[in-house]
Amino acid sequence: MPVPSEFSSADSRLSAPIDLGRVRTLFRDPARVAESGFLRREVAARMHERLQVIKLEPTVVLDAGCGEGADLVTLQKRFAQATVLGLDASFGMLSEAQAVQKDGLSSVHRMLQQWLPAGMGIGRDSMAGLMCGDFARLPLAGNSVDMVWSNLAVHWHPQPDAVFGEWRRVLSQDGLLMFSCFGPDTFRELRTAFAESGAQHVLPFVDMHDFGDMLVNAGFSTPVMDMETLTITYGSVEKLIADVRAIGGNPLDTRPRGLFGRDAWQRVVERLERQRRDVDGKIPLTVEVAYGHAFRPAPRATASGESIIRFDRPRK
């Protein structure tokens, strides 16, 4: 399936002038982002903790921004009876996700083959279905998904309000949306270090309250947003910068195109060095993570415009 062109709408609010083509380039090579996997796994674990308090037995689960497929594995284990789908804008990441699943099935097959009857093997049904596409133009029918899961992905799209509207479209009635994203305090140390350069070298992330408003405007009911701050520490500026690039880098359309001068870069390094903590001598890097979940409510009107009034039976 070809990757859709950039989504645009005059009525859609931009979170930042993000170049979607640049996003696909930054995430094209799984090896480039592999070093940041620790952060996605940590946030995914915290999302699963929040999911424990929600009663849900989905038939179809969509991982929007599945990347290399690590969350696909955990979602398949958690919802063993569900069909799990993975969508990403990067063919490279989807290829890695497919390879990971095949390797996992091959390992299980080798382990169980000695106990299986002759001629019986493990089929491919346990592999998640993979799709390449834009969050704001999903290749799925309406009301076709019971749960949308998205881990640290929506902040890479320039029009999150359009994304939320599309996620609501594909969700079934009472379907659940659960997502995580970076908040505006993310990489504040790096933003401070680049402050005097006069150009945006760090993506300005959206505040969680704005995301909450977008969810309401998209038609979700009772959205819940919360936030926590994680601090990663580094022994060297080089490793800090390498991890920021692995996490996603700078996809802004307004990013500087020219080379960063040696003197200017040295000033950035010096500012980061001055932020070393007295307690351990490490350089901190702040990551603000916002978590959100919301449900698609029952419709209040028919397709022709008549209002729907529901009467709940009194409990005995």
Side-chain angles (χ1 to χ4, degrees):
M1 180 183 299
V3 179
S5 59
E6 280 72 5
F7 182 89
S8 62
S9 170
D11 298 327
S12 188
R13 291 176 295 173
L14 297 177
S15 65
I18 294 174
D19 180 350
L20 284 179
R22 175 66 175 170
V23 172
R24 288 193 287 268
T25 298
L26 291 172
F27 287 93
R28 178 173 55 196
D29 181 8
R32 180 185 179 278
V33 301
E35 290 298 316
S36 64
F38 72 94
L39 180 58
R40 292 191 296 277
R41 301 284 57 74
E42 178 63 28
V43 173
R46 296 173 187 232
M47 289 176 67
H48 278 288
E49 290 177 0
R50 287 164 168 79
L51 187 58
Q52 288 178 359
V53 301
I54 302 174
K55 293 183 178 180
L56 188 71
E57 294 183 2
T59 301
V60 180
V61 177
L62 170 65
D63 182 357
C66 64
E68 79 286 4
D71 284 355
L72 294 173
V73 175
T74 56
L75 289 170
Q76 286 174 312
K77 290 180 179 178
R78 185 166 195 135
F79 304 111
Q81 303 305 314
T83 297
V84 178
L85 306 174
L87 179 136
D88 203 274
S90 166
F91 281 115
M93 298 301 285
L94 289 172
S95 296
E96 180 70 10
Q98 185 177 49
V100 168
Q101 291 189 88
K102 286 183 177 179
D103 289 345
L105 284 177
S106 296
S107 298
V108 172
H109 179 87
R110 288 193 298 269
M111 181 179 65
L112 297 181
Q113 189 62 48
Q114 56 184 315
W115 294 293
L116 292 174
M120 180 179 292
I122 298 180
R124 306 174 68 89
D125 293 342
S126 56
M127 289 183 62
L130 301 177
M131 302 170 287
C132 193
D134 187 335
F135 287 172
R137 288 180 172 177
L138 297 177
L140 295 169
N143 308 302
S144 61
V145 174
D146 303 305
M147 176 180 170
V148 173
W149 166 283
S150 184
N151 179 18
L152 294 181
V154 69
H155 49 251
W156 301 122
H157 200 284
Q159 295 159 319
D161 58 325
V163 172
F164 290 142
E166 182 70 347
W167 288 353
R168 183 191 181 280
R169 180 187 69 82
V170 302
L171 275 171
S172 59
Q173 180 178 316
D174 298 324
L176 172 67
L177 165 64
M178 175 163 278
F179 70 97
S180 63
C181 57
F182 290 143
D185 247 6
T186 298
F187 306 154
R188 67 186 180 196
E189 295 85 0
L190 195 58
R191 189 174 286 108
T192 298
F194 277 111
E196 295 180 10
S197 70
Q200 282 189 319
H201 293 269
V202 182
L203 180 65
F205 298 104
V206 178
D207 186 89
M208 72 172 185
H209 298 98
D210 293 328
F211 275 135
D213 292 340
M214 292 180 197
L215 289 169
V216 172
N217 293 335
F220 283 96
S221 64
T222 59
V224 176
M225 300 291 304
D226 68 296
M227 179 272 291
E228 64 181 339
T229 299
L230 309 179
T231 302
I232 310 170
T233 58
Y234 294 91
S236 69
V237 171
E238 291 76 14
K239 177 57 177 171
L240 183 152
I241 296 297
D243 272 10
V244 169
R245 288 173 175 165
I247 288 170
N250 185 1
L252 288 171
D253 189 51
T254 55
R255 68 191 182 278
R257 297 303 204 275
L259 295 175
F260 204 61
R262 180 178 299 178
D263 292 341
W265 176 247
Q266 186 58 39
R267 287 194 294 271
V268 170
V269 172
E270 290 172 355
R271 293 186 190 104
L272 288 171
E273 289 286 355
R274 287 200 294 268
Q275 297 184 59
R276 287 188 182 273
R277 307 189 306 184
D278 293 336
V279 63
D280 57 8
K282 300 288 187 179
I283 305 171
L285 182 67
T286 298
V287 178
E288 179 184 325
V289 183
Y291 303 89
H293 73 263
F295 292 89
R296 176 176 177 172
R300 297 182 179 179
T302 65
S304 57
E306 292 87 356
S307 296
I308 298 175
I309 301 175
R310 290 179 171 81
F311 296 95
D312 293 329
R313 294 181 179 178
R315 297 181 179 179
K316 295 181 180 181

